[in-house]
Amino acid sequence: MTRRSAAAPASHQASPGRVLPAAFYARPTLEVAADLPGKLLVHRSPAGETSGIIVEVEAYIGEDDPACHAAPGPTRRNRPLYGPPGRAYVYLNYGIHALLNAVTEEEGSPAAILIRALEPIGGVPLMRRRRRRAGKGVRALAPDAPDLDLCRGPGNLTRAMGISLDDNEADLTGRRLCIVDGPAPSGEVIWSPRIGIRVGTERLWRCYVAGSRAVSGGR
DNA sequence: CGTTCGATGCACT
DNA sequence: GTGCATCGAACGT
């Protein structure tokens, strides 16, 4: 076996612009979650391209995690969680919001990371147009809302980026939807209990960039 | 500040 | 029929 270099970059090391390979996701979920803040989520659609720096994620790990959709065992809905790492798991929640997850671990090990907030980078006008449209129980974003509110919260960011149930099981290393290396996180990355759930709140599996105004939850 | 509540679609029991 | 990994408006304090 030959090696290009003794310092060949591992899948989780930064190299700006590089699309994160499937190997990035084929690791323990908490390690992947810790590495996601600072990465760039990119979505391309006929309407245009949008992107943003990930600043908040949550891990959902295994059938023993009561808050994970895999808790009841395999079902039709959670099938992507049992699939290969590096794909999207998108589902509809409260009948209104499409929520985006990145599947981790390995095939047969149901685990994923919920992407909860981004700092908008590219396609901000397109994001604002999408969020200014009301519909399906979703109110239009106020015209004077700051850019940092556009992708603040898991339902808001999918709406701003045009991510829908059509993206369920999408390849996260593909052209339509991918995560690429970005700058180092702008602040300290810290862990807290997951929010918005009623069970499993004792696990500190929410990971976010301290001080970012784009992080969801209280201010 | 805080809490409450309605909108809405789908998977699951 | 029930229950959400949400959001934001409309209150009350």
Side-chain angles (χ1 to χ4, degrees):
Chain A
M1 254 318 210
T2 61
R3 255 174 209 265
R4 249 167 229 279
S5 133
S11 64
H12 59 283
Q13 290 178 324
S15 161
R18 179 193 67 150
V19 174
L20 301 181
F24 174 88
Y25 304 94
R27 294 185 292 146
T29 303
L30 295 181
E31 292 182 18
V32 182
D35 287 343
L36 278 176
K39 300 294 191 287
L40 194 71
L41 178 68
V42 181
H43 185 255
R44 298 184 180 96
S45 80
E49 176 178 318
T50 50
S51 63
I53 296 175
I54 297 171
V55 292
E56 181 187 5
V57 300
E58 282 176 359
Y60 291 86
I61 309 175
E63 296 178 348
D64 292 336
D65 173 6
C68 180
H69 282 182
T75 65
R76 184 162 75 260
R77 178 202 217 191
N78 65 27
R79 187 177 40 134
L81 291 176
Y82 290 83
R87 301 236 273 241
Y89 169 46
V90 183
Y91 72 95
L92 193 65
N93 132 98
Y94 291 99
I96 298 169
H97 307 288
L99 267 50
L100 170 67
N101 298 253
V103 175
T104 58
E105 309 270 347
E106 60 201 12
E107 199 153 355
S109 289
I113 296 167
L114 171 69
I115 312 296
R116 289 193 59 92
L118 314 172
E119 290 179 3
I121 295 292
V124 170
L126 175 56
M127 290 181 180
R128 192 172 289 277
R129 252 179 281 136
R130 286 171 171 150
R131 294 235 27 216
R132 290 252 303 156
R133 276 203 172 287
K136 280 209 302 192
V138 181
R139 328 249 172 175
L141 182 71
D144 58 344
D147 286 355
L148 286 174
D149 279 355
L150 291 173
C151 298
R152 180 169 179 267
N156 288 335
L157 81 87
T158 56
R159 186 166 176 81
M161 297 195 79
I163 293 168
S164 71
L165 294 183
D166 292 342
D167 294 294
N168 192 27
E169 298 193 273
D171 182 356
L172 286 177
T173 69
R175 174 163 176 77
R176 177 172 171 79
L177 187 59
C178 64
I179 302 178
V180 307
D181 269 319
S186 59
E188 194 184 357
V189 175
I190 59 179
W191 296 84
S192 81
R194 295 172 293 183
I195 60 180
I197 55 173
R198 310 176 77 100
V199 291
T201 51
E202 73 284 355
R203 299 169 206 229
L204 305 184
W205 286 355
R206 173 172 175 252
C207 176
Y208 64 97
V209 178
S212 171
R213 300 279 295 177
V215 170
S216 67
R219 273 264 157 87

